[in-house]
Amino acid sequence: MKLPEIEQAWQGVEKCRRCAIRSLVLFADLQREDFDHIHLPIEEMELTAGQSLYQSNQQGRYVFTIRQGLIKLTHPLANGHYRVIRLLRQGDLAGIEALNGARYLHHAEALQSTLICRIPIENIESLNSNTPHLYQQLTRRWHQIQQDADTWLAKFAQGGSRQRLAHLLLYLAEAESQPAFFLPGREDIGAMLGITTETASRLIADFRRSGFLHTGNGLASIEQDSLESIIAQG
Amino acid sequence: MKLPEIEQAWQGVEKCRRCAIRSLVLFADLQREDFDHIHLPIEEMELTAGQSLYQSNQQGRYVFTIRQGLIKLTHPLANGHYRVIRLLRQGDLAGIEALNGARYLHHAEALQSTLICRIPIENIESLNSNTPHLYQQLTRRWHQIQQDADTWLAKFAQGGSRQRLAHLLLYLAEAESQPAFFLPGREDIGAMLGITTETASRLIADFRRSGFLHTGNGLASIEQDSLESIIAQG
DNA sequence: CGGATCGTTGACAGGTATCAATGCTGGTGG
DNA sequence: CCACCAGCATTGATACCTGTCAACGATCCG
């Protein structure tokens, strides 16, 4: 794990160039020559469930891309609880606000085992001056964040809790190639929907009894049509 | 209103250069020479209360800076109602998503009489290739949007409706130099907090009777300490 | 086996949506 | 000028939903 700096950098570039999901991440538009000109000390990390990626208000030196897994961004509340602001999934960027020289806005924590790449912000900024390709990707990410924020307000903070949960389950199920998806704990579900843990538990149990939701060994699957009819004032 | 194109452009630049709030808007970092090199056909517009600035899903050709007033960004809901996603105030940027070639994400409508500047996106993009100054400002705006989105989730979509309303009133009162501020209609307040119009009305009336809120000829003022104690589990 | 953590369920009080009716106000036309 | 109307705000009654407090069950791990 403690290789010479230059070696490490080279590994990062090599790995990044061959990364199977590179089209999803920040460097999708970079040409071969961009890579050759710049040493990118990109490091892979694996987070176990419950492990923190960064803390709110911490001075940011890295930006992270999620290669696989699920990260929650949370905001502490006055009563000791927390509110989940957003989830990050494959291809999403974490800590992008560090590019402004600003501190991280959230507490970031893995919900399940999660694979990420860590990129120092100084490298992003030097890439920015050398190629316009990166700006486009960054702008796209900002745009994505805005869109996600809208989704969370319009779907997860609006209407009755049954409808909110239906929205959340559909959201979790989408963007998975498999029909099964990771179902967060009741406390996290509550923190995403702005409801209590107990209500979240009651609703999950109810959905399961009604056959809208099936669970097994930590994974879940849904009856899409049923959930959509709940949202449509069912 | 129908001057020759070149004349119009020059007016835009002149006005923009002398704008009293330029330090707040997009071109704060631009040097004199930047201005001289580029013709910016910036146009001022005044929106009356209730007037739309753009529609959701419309192809965006402009970005707007708010010089004075209040704009609501809304998202239609299935039941015919709408949800207010965010408010824009002096110095904020509207329609920034158009810079991606994307369509507008929201319906934007003036809550009160509002003064804006309209900037074609092609000019933003040509400025981007000539000076790095603009990028910084744009990034700052994206960052602001992310922060605002967090605020809305953590304050206006969390806890009881009394606490949400207290948060909203404090938010509306802040960033006003005067103690008095514009109080939106009950329907809009409901759409911001995710509650019904009736509940919003009841709470406003209650706050007024309790002396937390004072109103007169369309303007309002608050007792800051009282509202803060409501938020702190009062 | 015991303890810790998480999920489930119950009882009840309080809050909110819903349906409905009644004030209030500014603008319009006679 | 005044009567009227349309839109908004307020208020009431009630059923439903959710938070709260509390207990119990399930599962994992030492």
Side-chain angles (χ1 to χ4, degrees):
Chain A
M1 261 318 195
K2 262 302 181 189
L3 303 174
E5 181 94 0
I6 182 75
E7 185 72 0
Q8 218 177 50
W10 186 85
Q11 274 207 349
V13 173
E14 267 312 301
K15 274 194 161 171
C16 194
R17 184 184 284 158
R18 289 200 291 242
C19 175
I21 64 154
R22 216 192 83 195
S23 64
L24 291 177
V25 300
L26 207 51
F27 308 116
D29 295 337
L30 293 193
Q31 310 300 324
R32 167 175 280 272
E33 55 263 36
D34 295 326
F35 266 87
D36 289 343
H37 287 155
I38 294 156
H39 282 251
L40 279 173
I42 296 174
E43 289 184 59
E44 274 185 41
M45 302 168 73
E46 178 162 2
L47 300 175
T48 61
Q51 198 173 354
S52 287
L53 183 53
Y54 52 79
Q55 305 284 334
S56 174
N57 215 34
Q58 182 182 340
Q59 188 62 49
R61 294 180 46 237
Y62 301 98
V63 160
F64 306 87
T65 69
I66 286 85
R67 298 189 43 181
Q68 195 186 1
L70 211 51
I71 300 273
K72 66 173 173 184
L73 301 183
T74 67
H75 189 81
L77 297 176
N79 54 13
H81 291 176
Y82 58 92
R83 170 89 198 199
V84 175
I85 302 293
R86 204 158 5 102
L87 291 183
L88 301 180
R89 303 189 284 201
Q90 186 175 90
D92 283 333
L93 215 56
I96 191 176
E97 61 267 30
L99 291 180
N100 268 3
R103 294 164 181 272
Y104 292 127
L105 288 173
H106 318 99
H107 175 78
E109 184 182 322
L111 281 180
Q112 49 177 157
S113 175
T114 296
L115 226 57
I116 59 169
C117 291
R118 188 181 80 171
I119 312 159
I121 60 169
E122 57 254 42
N123 291 95
I124 302 269
E125 275 157 4
S126 76
L127 259 179
N128 264 341
S129 13
N130 292 13
T131 166
H133 290 137
L134 194 56
Y135 269 124
Q136 223 170 0
Q137 283 290 331
L138 284 172
T139 305
R140 197 169 301 170
R141 299 313 155 125
W142 283 117
H143 182 254
Q144 184 65 45
I145 287 174
Q146 183 183 5
Q147 206 161 5
D148 287 349
D150 296 354
T151 297
W152 280 69
L153 257 191
K155 292 187 175 174
F156 305 153
Q158 180 66 35
S161 51
R162 282 179 71 84
Q163 293 169 44
R164 298 192 198 184
L165 180 58
H167 272 300
L168 178 62
L169 292 175
L170 287 168
Y171 174 82
L172 289 171
E174 106 191 354
E176 288 283 341
S177 47
Q178 315 152 11
F181 61 91
F182 172 78
L183 186 65
R186 305 298 175 266
E187 187 180 3
D188 279 329
I189 292 177
M192 294 186 224
L193 303 179
I195 61 181
T196 59
T197 307
E198 293 93 331
T199 301
S201 174
R202 269 185 254 271
L203 288 173
I204 290 284
D206 185 27
F207 275 25
R208 236 171 16 197
R209 279 189 289 264
S210 304
F212 304 155
L213 176 70
H214 313 281
T215 60
N217 61 348
L219 291 182
S221 61
I222 57 171
E223 299 292 330
Q224 187 168 344
D225 298 342
S226 308
L227 293 181
E228 277 164 357
S229 73
I230 286 177
I231 290 169
Q233 298 289 11
Chain B
M1 261 318 193
K2 260 305 181 188
L3 306 173
E5 183 93 1
I6 183 74
E7 185 71 1
Q8 218 178 52
W10 187 84
Q11 275 210 347
V13 172
E14 268 312 301
K15 274 193 161 171
C16 194
R17 184 183 284 156
R18 290 199 289 245
C19 176
I21 65 155
R22 217 193 82 192
S23 65
L24 290 177
V25 300
L26 206 51
F27 307 116
D29 294 336
L30 292 194
Q31 311 299 324
R32 167 174 280 275
E33 56 262 35
D34 295 326
F35 265 87
D36 289 343
H37 287 156
I38 292 156
H39 282 252
L40 279 173
I42 296 174
E43 290 183 59
E44 274 185 40
M45 301 168 72
E46 178 163 2
L47 300 175
T48 60
Q51 198 173 354
S52 287
L53 182 53
Y54 52 79
Q55 305 285 334
S56 174
N57 214 33
Q58 182 182 341
Q59 188 62 48
R61 296 180 46 237
Y62 301 98
V63 160
F64 307 86
T65 70
I66 286 84
R67 298 187 45 179
Q68 195 186 2
L70 211 51
I71 300 274
K72 67 173 174 184
L73 301 183
T74 67
H75 189 80
L77 297 176
N79 54 14
H81 291 174
Y82 58 93
R83 170 90 198 199
V84 174
I85 302 295
R86 204 156 9 99
L87 291 183
L88 302 180
R89 303 188 285 201
Q90 187 176 89
D92 284 332
L93 214 56
I96 191 176
E97 62 266 30
L99 290 180
N100 268 3
R103 295 163 181 272
Y104 292 128
L105 288 174
H106 317 99
H107 174 78
E109 184 183 321
L111 281 181
Q112 48 178 160
S113 175
T114 297
L115 225 58
I116 58 170
C117 291
R118 188 180 80 170
I119 312 158
I121 59 170
E122 58 253 40
N123 291 96
I124 302 269
E125 275 158 5
S126 76
L127 259 180
N128 263 342
S129 11
N130 292 14
T131 168
H133 291 136
L134 193 57
Y135 269 124
Q136 224 169 358
Q137 282 291 331
L138 283 173
T139 305
R140 197 168 301 169
R141 300 312 155 126
W142 283 117
H143 182 255
Q144 185 64 46
I145 288 173
Q146 184 183 4
Q147 208 161 4
D148 287 349
D150 295 355
T151 298
W152 280 67
L153 257 190
K155 293 188 175 173
F156 304 152
Q158 181 66 37
S161 50
R162 279 179 74 83
Q163 294 170 43
R164 297 191 199 185
L165 180 58
H167 272 299
L168 178 63
L169 293 175
L170 287 169
Y171 174 83
L172 289 171
E174 105 190 354
E176 288 283 340
S177 47
Q178 315 150 12
F181 61 90
F182 172 77
L183 186 65
R186 307 298 174 266
E187 188 179 3
D188 280 328
I189 292 177
M192 292 185 226
L193 303 179
I195 61 181
T196 58
T197 306
E198 293 93 330
T199 300
S201 175
R202 269 185 253 270
L203 288 173
I204 290 283
D206 186 26
F207 276 23
R208 235 169 19 196
R209 278 189 289 264
S210 305
F212 304 155
L213 176 70
H214 312 282
T215 59
N217 62 348
L219 291 182
S221 62
I222 57 171
E223 299 291 329
Q224 187 168 342
D225 298 342
S226 308
L227 293 181
E228 277 165 358
S229 73
I230 286 177
I231 290 169
Q233 298 289 10

